[in-house]
Amino acid sequence: MLITDVEVEGYGRVDVRLGGGRVVGIGRRRAGRGDVDGRGGALLVGLHDHHVHLGALAAEAASVRVGPAEAGDRDGLVGALRSGPPGEWVRAVGYHESVAGELDRWVLDGFAPDRPVRVQHRSGALWMWNSAALRAAGLDGGGDGGDGRFWREDERLREFTPPVRLDLRGVGSRAAAYGITGFTNADPHPGQDLPELLSVLPQRLVVMGIGGAPVKFLLDDATLPTPGELAASVAAVRPRPVAVHCVTRVQLLVTLLALEEAGPVAGDRIEHGSVIPAETMPWLARLGVTVVTQPHFPVERGREYATDVDPDDQAHLYRCRSLAEAGIPLAAGTDAPYGSADPWAVMRAAVERSGGEAVDRRSALDLFAGEPQHPSHARRLTVGAVADLCLLHVPLKEALDLMSADVVRATFVGGRRITPTE
């Protein structure tokens, strides 16, 4: 394939030839037609979402969103839960207590008594079921079910619910429109059949826990291991890297102590890094562990964070610029569906952050330009590079000014176009 008249960093306006899934030539523009006329738009490496939950994202097509932005308040939540036919299961996602307070089976019974209802908390860690759902699943006897609140029990609950339609093709198509050429799926306990399930996606895949990908460790404060216990678990999977879910101060400290004891390896990651106290940053830098963060969360969830987060932690939320300035390897993931699936929205948030954590526009783009296995190592378009590419309507400077998915014109994986033909 020949893509003509594109702007490539370090080359200016050139023609780019692809072959065998790679970039085989970058040279001055010549007269004549190519396979794609770039019209002076920038040609970039494709974006990689370094932390996403693809199964849950695909299930959104069969779900109703009931977060603060969608349901708004109690009346909005009740309306959403009652919107489907009586008797059919309702799968609601994105809930936060600011909508209608804490939910349990009895509260949900009052909202929607005539159908099985299950509501997932915005964190993804908690499901709340009403009595009709518990009865339909056979979980309303012998003490099982209780108040209808299930913490980190997705795997067990899955066998009791109707199959959920997964719109993976839709996920892949929407991601291609964003310029995404690869995903890192961050589920903590992937089934061995997950790569096959996800294979319908046109993007490249890294699935944590499968093959040589990092092994995911999910930490919760209520069941937190000691540093020694976590170190032993980490040592047991070496030489593979690990990706440790850290959303509280204590989880980060236990992880750093464990990595110190087990010894870090290339590819070790901190997922989220929700709370990173300033005094831990030299330690992170010394270990060389990469932080894969979500700089959009303080923007998307600012109102809730103002009341939910301990005041002592407010200044340390989802650091971005300060991590980069401390020499800590840094990348970003959307965490979709628990955050926006649009990486350009994440980039805008990273640029517009307050509290000294904003990064410049090019650095924001590089948060999604890293190598799939080494997220902080930004890729560049060069001869010999894998032809996972994103063609823009406009030059790079204009794209960085706009920071919008509207600038994406075409997306290529291995030199094959995965966006619809114009």
Side-chain angles (χ1 to χ4, degrees):
M1 178 183 290
L2 178 63
I3 306 176
T4 61
D5 190 17
V6 289
E7 177 196 63
V8 176
E9 281 187 285
Y11 293 89
R13 288 178 68 165
V14 293
D15 294 344
V16 175
R17 186 172 294 280
L18 314 179
R22 294 187 175 271
V23 177
V24 296
I26 302 175
R28 63 185 179 86
R29 286 184 290 160
R30 299 178 181 274
R33 298 183 60 182
D35 300 286
V36 177
D37 181 356
R39 306 170 194 161
L43 185 64
L44 309 175
V45 296
L47 306 181
H48 189 97
D49 188 339
H50 296 288
H51 184 117
V52 64
H53 300 274
L54 292 165
L57 183 58
E60 280 209 322
S63 309
V64 55
R65 291 202 63 84
V66 293
E70 299 87 11
D73 56 17
R74 179 187 181 280
D75 290 343
L77 173 64
V78 172
L81 297 182
R82 293 181 179 178
S83 61
E88 288 193 3
W89 277 81
V90 176
R91 185 183 192 272
V93 297
Y95 183 77
H96 182 267
E97 291 79 5
S98 61
V99 173
E102 288 199 358
L103 303 182
D104 57 26
R105 67 184 294 180
W106 300 287
V107 173
L108 289 172
D109 287 349
F111 292 168
D114 64 341
R115 70 202 67 199
V117 170
R118 52 184 175 134
V119 180
Q120 187 183 45
H121 191 269
R122 182 173 67 184
S123 65
L126 174 66
W127 281 99
M128 298 153 282
W129 290 29
N130 72 349
S131 294
L134 293 167
R135 288 193 297 270
L139 294 176
D140 199 24
D144 201 359
D147 59 3
R149 291 167 63 88
F150 299 95
W151 178 264
R152 299 268 189 227
E153 293 195 60
D154 292 59
E155 288 183 88
R156 183 173 80 93
L157 295 178
R158 198 169 293 127
E159 64 182 278
F160 297 108
T161 58
V164 176
R165 181 176 66 87
L166 300 181
D167 183 21
L168 285 165
R169 295 190 185 279
V171 168
S173 177
R174 288 186 291 274
Y178 294 141
I180 293 175
T181 58
F183 294 110
T184 294
N185 189 75
D187 295 346
H189 304 293
Q192 290 299 313
D193 61 342
L194 184 60
E196 182 178 357
L197 176 68
L198 299 179
S199 65
V200 301
L201 294 166
Q203 287 81 10
R204 296 187 191 275
L205 295 171
V206 176
V207 179
M208 286 188 182
I210 302 292
V215 177
K216 177 80 175 284
F217 285 86
L218 181 63
L219 303 184
D220 287 313
D221 284 0
T223 57
L224 198 63
T226 66
E229 290 169 341
L230 182 57
S233 297
V234 170
V237 303
R238 290 300 196 218
R240 293 176 65 184
V242 296
V244 188
H245 167 104
C246 291
V247 297
T248 66
R249 183 185 297 245
V250 67
Q251 290 171 19
L252 177 67
L253 293 174
V254 166
T255 298
L256 294 179
L257 287 165
L259 289 175
E260 189 82 71
E261 181 176 339
V265 302
D268 281 344
R269 302 161 48 135
I270 299 290
E271 303 303 309
H272 309 300
S274 307
V275 180
I276 299 182
E279 59 270 20
T280 65
M281 291 198 290
W283 196 358
L284 274 165
R286 180 169 54 80
L287 289 172
V289 61
T290 298
V291 175
V292 179
T293 188
Q294 287 74 47
H296 53 312
F297 278 4
V299 176
E300 292 182 359
R301 306 176 177 185
R303 185 180 66 178
E304 293 83 19
Y305 281 174
T307 56
D308 293 354
V309 175
D310 189 303
D312 290 341
D313 290 338
Q314 293 281 350
H316 310 301
L317 286 174
Y318 291 96
R319 291 181 179 275
C320 205
R321 179 177 178 177
S322 59
L323 295 180
E325 290 180 341
I328 295 165
L330 184 65
T334 64
D335 199 26
Y338 310 115
S340 169
D342 179 356
W344 297 91
V346 179
M347 294 177 216
R348 286 197 304 274
V351 169
E352 296 168 0
R353 287 283 301 275
S354 59
E357 289 299 334
V359 298
D360 64 74
R361 292 174 181 271
R362 179 63 219 220
S363 296
L365 178 61
D366 281 346
L367 292 173
F368 289 94
E371 295 282 352
Q373 295 285 8
H374 299 283
S376 67
H377 297 175
R379 293 165 288 140
R380 293 289 183 262
L381 203 166
T382 58
V383 174
V386 174
D388 294 351
L389 306 171
C390 175
L391 175 62
L392 307 184
H393 288 288
V394 297
L396 179 59
K397 183 181 185 304
E398 187 175 344
L400 294 177
D401 287 341
L402 293 169
M403 279 287 176
S404 167
D406 291 341
V407 302
V408 177
R409 179 180 161 201
T411 304
F412 305 83
V413 173
R416 180 177 65 86
R417 185 168 183 163
I418 63 171
T419 44
T421 302
E422 295 169 306

